[in-house]
Amino acid sequence: MSTANSWRQIPQRYRLEAGKCVKCGKLFYPPRLVCDACGGRAFEMAKLPNTGKVVTYTVIRVPPTEQADLAPYAVGLVELDNGVRLECQVVDCDFEQLEVGTPVKLEFRRIQEDTEAGMIHYGHKAVPV
Amino acid sequence: MRDVVIIGVGTTKFGELWESSLRDLAVEAALKAIDDAGCDRIDSLWVGCMSCGLFNGQEHLGALVADYLGRTPMPACRVESACASGGMALRAAWMEVACGQSDVVMALGVEKMTDVSGGKATYALAAASDREHEAFHGVTFPGLYALIAVDHMHRYGTTREQLADVSVKNHEHGSHNQYAQYPHKVTREQVMSSTMVADPLRVLDCSPISDGASAVIVAALDESRSLTKNALVKIAAIGAATDSLSLHQRKDLCEFAATIEAGERAFKTAKLSPSDIDVAEVHDCFTISEICVTEALGFFERGRGGPAASDGATRLGGKIPVNTSGGLKSKGHPVGATGIAQVYMLTKQLRGEAGPVQVKNARRALAQNMGGTGSSNVVTILESGS
Ligand SMILES: [Zn+2]
């Protein structure tokens, strides 16, 4: 990932900034340029809540190169309290503890180290509460 | 719009083919289709390939294949829709003939995946998901389908045994396929004790990394009599649709909305319904995918795909035989070739040339090919000629 790409994503990745359609109020994470519900093109920034629940989950046993040192690790599709969904790792728990509906909070964590650009990429991981 | 028929089909063996290059595979499949048609004329070429850039460091595949096939200056172009690239290439060829621009067009699908390490292949395949919001977090493709599997099991009571039975059935069918990468049978116990990849999916739930190519030649019905002696197979309809690239943008993970939409479009154009189909090839990149898409296509009610996999409904001789080629699981999944390989098999079925896996009196066939987690879908309905 290039430095510019990583920098570009800082608002959404570091600060969980979503886009809220000014016209109809639909939330988009990551932010978009056009609303798929009403066609609106004006958005205001809306910060996502950092709590939600696991909709579905799995444990990655065969990881990609970037996450090779983390495997096995759990990932989940998380629905936040305002209905916005995202995918992220679920950490600091036993895999057996995980189930559909497990309540989680998002924490700012290191996601991967980029060997090409020599950067460390941060973002959020879910932790069961 | 003109009626379009398939006049020739060809395929390479699928597998880890160290001796064949990307261009060798493409040309081998093309020549086999030309020989099968008995027709040397091709007006135009569409090449479906997902990621020759990441797998082989080679783009610009249309001209490369046209050249090595000895057909320049014929127009040629690559089509990319992840694992639906092959099906989309056929759609382009079909439209080109239907609209009258060309009379005889080849749709070719190819992928050469084994020249890179497993890590690089995983990276290339992850390009079909949302790189910034799925792959970034370490969610692999088996991982994405595992998320779907857990949801399906939770909501519909689909069992681990039912997932395994998809693999058992496809390997049983594939054991008769001389072109299959893994033409051997597996047992439920073998599937359920194979290496875990992403819970609950094990290695025998996953289609393999493969090399291979397949080709189909389509022609205007009016011209076809003078071009080939083969029994004609008509393209009754091709429907295509899209859905979000990432799973988290969907409210319902098991729905496969783009499969439903592509299917409905194809059935509507062909004036047919799911019960009219005699044999189908569907995109079983993972065992859970076959369960979800056989529901989305209307072969089974929502949530009934699992029981259908276990009760023999999708087996040869069942209500709707699915993946008589062995599917992606046993036959192999050179991603860009898959959509064309499905149509290769169904053409053989409709010509009555499918040997030990022949479905008796097969007259109507359906191919469902998809990219990513169903983000791109193409459904093709074929009918044996009158
Ligand atoms: Zn809106």
Side-chain angles (χ1 to χ4, degrees):
Chain A
M1 197 188 303
S2 73
T3 319
N5 184 351
S6 181
W7 166 80
R8 207 158 52 224
Q9 296 182 60
I10 283 176
Q12 40 177 287
R13 277 221 216 290
Y14 285 28
R15 301 196 290 269
L16 292 176
E17 290 183 6
K20 185 179 178 183
C21 176
V22 169
K23 216 157 117 192
C24 77
K26 187 168 175 182
L27 282 165
F28 293 93
Y29 183 79
R32 300 183 174 203
L33 297 177
V34 59
C35 174
D36 67 3
C38 76
R41 297 183 189 181
F43 293 85
E44 56 193 25
M45 192 274 279
K47 213 162 149 45
L48 294 179
N50 67 349
T51 51
K53 62 177 198 304
V54 170
V55 174
T56 177
Y57 62 95
T58 182
V59 178
I60 306 288
R61 313 267 175 184
V62 182
T65 315
E66 298 78 22
Q67 271 95 358
D69 54 334
L70 297 178
Y73 54 89
V75 298
L77 195 152
V78 171
E79 184 167 305
L80 299 175
D81 292 342
N82 63 354
V84 167
R85 290 178 165 197
L86 47 81
E87 289 161 57
C88 63
Q89 288 180 25
V90 188
V91 295
D92 297 351
C93 62
D94 293 333
F95 300 145
E96 295 70 34
Q97 202 186 319
L98 274 176
E99 44 188 57
V100 172
T102 298
V104 290
K105 65 176 193 296
L106 298 183
E107 288 190 358
F108 188 70
R109 296 287 180 98
R110 169 176 156 143
I111 307 292
Q112 53 170 273
E113 215 165 312
D114 195 319
T115 47
E116 248 173 76
M119 297 174 65
I120 296 171
H121 301 296
Y122 295 93
H124 287 78
K125 293 184 181 180
V127 181
V129 290
Chain B
M1 297 285 272
R2 304 193 292 178
D3 281 337
V4 180
V5 292
I6 292 171
I7 63 167
V9 293
T11 192
T12 67
K13 184 176 167 48
F14 286 4
E16 208 165 325
L17 309 174
W18 290 338
E19 291 179 352
S20 300
S21 66
L22 174 68
R23 66 190 75 178
D24 291 340
L25 291 167
V27 170
E28 183 189 332
L31 291 176
K32 282 179 163 171
I34 288 167
D35 291 348
D36 176 65
C39 160
D40 204 43
R41 178 179 159 196
I42 305 171
D43 300 339
S44 171
L45 169 70
W46 295 91
V47 181
C49 181
M50 174 183 163
S51 197
C52 42
L54 289 174
F55 284 120
N56 318 104
Q58 178 71 62
E59 308 282 7
H60 208 172
L61 207 51
L64 179 69
V65 177
D67 178 16
Y68 274 74
L69 196 53
R71 301 283 167 153
T72 54
M74 159 179 81
C77 183
R78 174 176 155 211
V79 177
E80 189 276 311
S81 277
C83 307
S85 300
M88 290 296 187
L90 178 63
R91 180 169 177 266
W94 167 68
M95 291 191 294
E96 184 172 345
V97 173
C99 77
Q101 179 70 32
S102 302
D103 290 332
V104 189
V105 178
M106 177 179 285
L108 191 148
V110 62
E111 211 77 52
K112 174 72 188 173
M113 303 169 74
T114 69
D115 274 354
V116 294
S117 65
K120 284 194 169 141
T122 302
Y123 179 84
L125 291 169
S129 69
D130 189 328
R131 178 76 71 193
E132 294 180 355
H133 300 279
E134 293 182 311
F136 173 75
H137 294 282
V139 192
T140 57
F141 250 95
L144 290 165
Y145 275 94
L147 293 174
I148 295 169
V150 168
D151 190 43
H152 205 279
M153 293 164 100
H154 179 74
R155 290 164 66 189
Y156 303 113
T158 303
T159 65
R160 188 40 270 195
E161 286 75 11
Q162 289 164 352
L163 293 174
D165 287 346
V166 173
S167 183
V168 172
K169 182 261 300 174
N170 288 347
H171 273 279
E172 159 83 38
H173 290 168
S175 69
H176 302 288
N177 185 345
Q178 59 173 315
Y179 299 113
Q181 182 168 4
Y182 294 117
H184 58 252
K185 295 176 189 173
V186 299
T187 63
R188 190 191 257 191
E189 291 66 36
Q190 282 173 321
V191 178
M192 289 174 58
S193 61
S194 62
T195 306
M196 190 70 91
V197 176
D199 310 35
L201 300 181
R202 295 172 179 271
V203 76
L204 286 176
D205 289 294
C206 309
S207 56
I209 302 273
S210 320
D211 304 329
S214 305
V216 166
I217 303 173
V218 298
L221 174 63
D222 300 343
E223 306 285 330
S224 61
R225 308 282 180 211
S226 62
L227 295 169
T228 187
K229 293 190 181 72
N230 283 335
L232 298 178
V233 169
K234 185 186 165 191
I235 298 181
I238 301 184
T242 53
D243 197 356
S244 67
L245 219 63
S246 55
L247 278 186
H248 56 262
Q249 301 289 353
R250 300 180 198 168
K251 273 293 157 209
D252 186 339
L253 304 183
C254 298
E255 184 183 27
F256 283 73
T259 309
I260 295 176
E261 178 67 26
E264 283 177 353
R265 287 177 185 218
F267 282 125
K268 191 179 172 200
T269 305
K271 298 188 177 66
L272 295 171
S273 67
S275 60
D276 295 319
I277 302 299
D278 301 315
V279 56
E281 290 281 315
V282 307
H283 199 96
D284 61 318
C285 45
F286 299 92
T287 48
I288 184 62
S289 340
E290 179 164 319
I291 288 174
C292 289
V293 301
T294 51
E295 294 172 10
L297 290 166
F299 294 134
F300 307 105
E301 276 175 39
R302 188 72 179 277
R304 301 301 298 166
S310 287
D311 70 17
T314 53
R315 200 174 275 274
L316 200 56
K319 176 190 157 203
I320 171 70
V322 171
N323 287 330
T324 59
S325 67
L328 285 53
K329 177 68 208 74
S330 162
K331 180 181 55 189
H333 184 28
V335 287
T338 284
I340 302 289
Q342 292 176 327
V343 171
Y344 170 92
M345 183 68 216
L346 295 176
T347 300
K348 290 286 185 186
Q349 284 283 4
L350 296 180
R351 286 187 193 164
E353 297 170 359
V357 295
Q358 181 66 48
V359 174
K360 282 197 192 96
N361 305 316
R363 300 210 2 98
R364 298 190 183 98
L366 178 147
Q368 179 266 340
N369 177 209
M370 66 185 173
T373 46
S375 313
S376 288
N377 258 270
V378 52
V379 172
T380 301
I381 297 177
L382 305 174
E383 282 183 292
S384 54
S386 39

